[in-house]
Amino acid sequence: MLFLWLYMFYSCAGSCAGLATRGSPAPPRAAPPLVPGEESSLEEQRAAPDAASPISSFFNGSGTKRLPQAIIIGVKKGGTRALLEFLRVHPDVRAVGAEPHFFDRNYERGLAWYRDLMPRTLEGQITMEKTPSYFVTKEAPARISSMSKGTKLIVVVRDPVTRAISDYTQTLSKKPDIPTFESLTFKNRTTGLIDTSWSAIQIGIYAKHLENWLLYFPIGQILFVSGERLISDPAGELGRVQDFLGLKRIITDKHFYFNKTKGFPCLKKAEGSSKPHCLGKTKGRTHPDIDQEVVQRLRDFYRPFNMKFYQMTGQDFGWD
């Protein structure tokens, strides 16, 4: 059947072209409309090897590669992977699986390279990606704004103390010989001075990082998702995300079940599958026991930053 279709296509190509030349001249080809989020990259659109002929569309799937209209920009160990996997269940969301790290590590490769990483989307579908390190990258807000000032941004935040311990746990699984969490937390444990140069601590100062983003994006263009509520009420948080993205609320309670072993919700059916799906073994690791005095010192340290973050976002996340 495939060969018959190809034969008919090529047979028609020659004869149809002949008919066109014998008739009235074909009207000039209209320039393709600008895709939202690509206003600043028209030259890359023209240069990119993505023009879809009938044959390429047949073999590669229909749709167009577009720059993302929405990006999950943070934070590390906040629940970004879970959010992305949950969102991919929605038929109008197409997302890159791996983290592109374009706006922090690969910016010199250019927007054409970045767009080529994106999945093909149809009219009405949203292209997304997630790279949690964007939130703490000083250059990222200006770079994303340069791509498109209309980009919608999503930040998944979590109790900064729990987040720091989770961050340390991940590093410990890869480097078992690293110093203890307690020794890394302080510049001087005797004086109790917190070492804010340690990334595990620094990432959790959310208010400081958000100030940088608000220089380029209005607060209403950024959605703050609670990592805790993403576990306790995934459908509720996904409802807020779908509303923010302008999507119909398709992802609901019926899509989730709670995995008691892992301690977080899983999908009854993942994207493109009829089987249940939980995040991999790297998620839900058991945290090491941390000296409670150190935990309390960290809570005291983060409290003023948390209060400021609540004021900036208009949300009380209940961390204390």
Side-chain angles (χ1 to χ4, degrees), residues 25-248:
R29 212 179 203 178
L34 278 174
V35 178
E38 298 193 24
E39 299 89 346
S40 62
S41 60
L42 183 57
E43 291 306 315
E44 281 99 341
Q45 287 187 57
R46 290 170 177 161
D50 200 41
S53 69
I55 292 294
S56 65
S57 294
F58 180 82
F59 286 110
N60 297 328
S62 59
T64 305
K65 291 189 176 185
R66 297 178 173 89
L67 291 169
Q69 295 97 345
I71 304 176
I72 301 173
I73 59 172
V75 298
K76 181 184 179 185
K77 308 310 294 179
T80 59
R81 171 56 58 185
L83 178 60
L84 186 70
E85 292 301 309
F86 295 164
L87 273 174
R88 290 172 75 171
V89 173
H90 200 293
D92 290 334
V93 172
R94 297 297 313 282
V96 184
E99 296 173 3
H101 283 281
F102 176 64
F103 295 104
D104 56 354
R105 301 178 192 170
N106 295 302
Y107 194 63
E108 73 286 349
R109 293 176 180 262
L111 284 171
W113 176 87
Y114 181 49
R115 188 185 60 232
D116 196 51
L117 298 177
M118 301 299 140
R120 293 179 182 275
T121 52
L122 302 173
E123 189 68 30
Q125 290 183 316
I126 291 176
T127 303
M128 292 188 68
E129 71 115 319
K130 77 106 177 169
T131 304
S133 52
Y134 290 162
F135 189 62
V136 298
T137 299
K138 188 175 181 180
E139 300 81 9
R143 290 171 174 178
I144 294 176
S145 177
S146 177
M147 176 185 75
S148 172
K149 295 183 184 298
T151 307
K152 292 186 176 182
L153 308 173
I154 300 175
V155 188
V156 188
V157 288
R158 181 184 183 188
D159 180 330
V161 177
T162 309
R163 197 221 65 81
I165 296 171
S166 182
D167 197 336
Y168 173 80
T169 303
Q170 182 182 55
T171 305
L172 185 65
S173 70
K174 300 174 183 177
K175 301 176 181 178
D177 56 344
I178 61 170
T180 64
F181 180 88
E182 290 84 350
S183 63
L184 291 169
T185 296
F186 299 101
K187 279 187 176 179
N188 186 321
R189 189 164 183 179
T190 303
T191 62
L193 183 63
I194 303 293
D195 187 356
T196 56
S197 67
W198 184 29
S199 64
I201 300 295
Q202 202 239 10
I203 290 172
I205 309 174
Y206 303 139
K208 175 186 173 184
H209 304 301
L210 181 56
E211 285 176 343
N212 189 32
W213 287 89
L214 294 181
L215 296 175
Y216 299 90
F217 293 93
I219 193 72
Q221 210 166 306
I222 309 173
L223 180 70
F224 300 92
V225 174
S226 165
E228 287 83 12
R229 287 196 293 270
L230 196 58
I231 294 173
S232 64
D233 181 20
E237 285 300 279
L238 265 292
R240 294 180 59 241
V241 176
Q242 289 170 97
D243 291 347
F244 175 71
L245 295 175
L247 297 169
K248 183 178 179 181

